[in-house]
Amino acid sequence: MSVTKRGDSFAVTIYDAALGRKRWVGTYATLKLAKQAEAEARLTRRRSDVTVALYAARWLQLHPRPKRSTNL
């Protein structure tokens, strides 16, 4: 369970495989709200809109090399 009590509130963290570590979700006033937030956070996954092909094209625009063969 990734809900922990912090004083009068409850903190929520979940493991994010994309990051390879825990991700902070937030702090909530009640345990019920914290569990709901945890469930929602587990359902929504953070994904990048950048594909490998888009990243390669952008890299070549930002850092062009002098020789054409290197850019290919």
Side-chain angles (χ1 to χ4, degrees), residues 8-9 16-17 23 26 35 46-48 52 54:
D8 293 337
S9 58
D16 191 340
R23 178 171 54 96
K35 286 185 177 183
R46 295 169 50 159
R47 293 186 179 171
S48 175
V52 173
L54 290 173

Side-chain angles (χ1 to χ4, degrees), residues 6-55:
R6 298 182 84 193
D8 293 337
S9 58
F10 296 88
V12 180
T13 57
I14 61 165
Y15 180 77
D16 191 340
L19 296 174
R21 60 185 173 86
K22 284 188 175 184
R23 178 171 54 96
W24 179 259
V25 176
T27 304
Y28 300 90
T30 64
L31 181 60
K32 183 178 180 180
L33 288 174
K35 286 185 177 183
Q36 287 174 351
E38 179 188 21
E40 288 175 13
R42 289 189 187 278
L43 292 177
T44 59
R45 295 194 178 169
R46 295 169 50 159
R47 293 186 179 171
S48 175
D49 293 338
V50 180
T51 62
V52 173
L54 290 173
Y55 180 80

